[in-house]
Amino acid sequence: MVVVRVIQEFPDELEADLLEFFSVDLLDLWRGRLSLRRVGVLIRSLMSKPGRSTLLMAMDERARWPEGDYMLARISDALELSNYLFLKANVDESDAKGLELPPPITRPGDPEPVPAPQPEFASAAEVSTFFGQMNAL
């Protein structure tokens, strides 16, 4: 039974969330004022509170952020990459060598990012040669 496992593995977190969100004391289960079914219903409700539920954060570290924070991090990563690509395309080759690919924002529960290899862009002469060969076909 999931309820019993949650009570055994995360008693402090469950007790804190039950008091904070529902004003329910987990000790009422042993006092006979609270049923396992009701505790199960309350636990299911806690599962829909990412970024707020201590129990959910203890069970899954990714729940430390609500969905909106993940979306903001994704937007920020995309904007950083867009800026990087714009600068890489519009700066002299000698100046572009100092530009590094921006690292993504670290999210809770994600493993440490492995540095990605730097992409190697073609020089202007290589691009010109390529299109010259394409026109010759």
Side-chain angles (χ1 to χ4, degrees), residues 37-49:
R37 185 200 69 77
R38 183 156 187 224
V39 172
V41 168
L42 297 175
I43 288 172
R44 280 191 293 281
S45 176
L46 290 172
M47 295 299 146
S48 68
K49 298 179 183 341

Side-chain angles (χ1 to χ4, degrees), residues 74-131:
R74 193 167 176 205
I75 290 168
S76 176
D77 289 344
L79 185 60
E80 289 287 329
L81 180 61
S82 175
N83 289 340
Y84 167 79
L85 292 174
F86 176 81
L87 288 173
K88 195 75 170 177
N90 292 298
V91 173
D92 291 336
E93 286 184 38
S94 59
D95 295 334
K97 290 183 181 177
L99 290 176
E100 293 183 17
L101 194 62
I105 293 175
T106 305
R107 280 114 169 124
D110 284 353
E112 286 297 316
V114 177
Q118 284 285 347
E120 201 170 302
F121 294 99
S123 67
E126 291 172 325
V127 172
S128 177
T129 303
F130 172 76
F131 282 116

